[in-house]
Amino acid sequence: SKQERVRLKHQEEAFAAVNLLLQQWRRGGSAGLIAAIFSDWRRQTCIGLKRKARSRTREGVALAIQQWEMGTQEGLLYSSVTHWRRLAELRKRALAETRRLDRAHVSCELMLRQWGMKGDVG
């Protein structure tokens, strides 16, 4: 269900935040931060590749079924319009995600600058 997916996503984000703090603590500030970033990047890349492969398989099956149901030309046209609509929605989501990541990046930079100022004072 949607609530379950949202709960799992929040749980993953909380786990990632705790993991980041632990790595920073274990390896020191900068080294831990870099290790956590690369670890998360590797995990996200693997997840993305698996999703992409499943999506391609699903699209191929859907295209074959549409062509069989509607005939080759109508099936291709319908599939093209459907695919275009899906890509437009994905693009919209990607832009929203990019904006969210940009805001998070700015927030992290601010936090790191503040953290650096604390180190200078003490």
Side-chain angles (χ1 to χ4, degrees), residues 8-17 19-20 23 35-51 100:
L8 286 174
K9 184 175 181 181
H10 287 300
Q11 193 175 26
E12 286 177 6
E13 289 172 354
F15 177 78
N19 189 30
L20 171 65
Q23 287 201 26
I37 288 170
F38 280 116
S39 173
D40 192 46
W41 175 66
R42 188 180 314 118
R43 186 176 60 83
Q44 291 295 330
T45 301
C46 289
I47 290 170
L49 291 174
K50 288 177 185 176
R51 264 192 212 132
R100 186 187 71 78

Side-chain angles (χ1 to χ4, degrees), residues 3 10 14 17 20-21 23 26 30-31 43 45 48 54 62 67 69 71 80 85-87 89 91-92 109 116 119:
Q3 289 178 338
H10 287 300
L20 171 65
L21 290 173
Q23 287 201 26
R26 275 189 244 144
S30 308
R43 186 176 60 83
T45 301
R54 279 195 308 261
Q67 285 179 345
E69 286 178 340
S80 297
R85 190 177 295 152
R86 189 177 309 131
L87 287 175
E89 180 62 31
R91 172 86 173 139
K92 182 179 174 183
E109 284 182 339

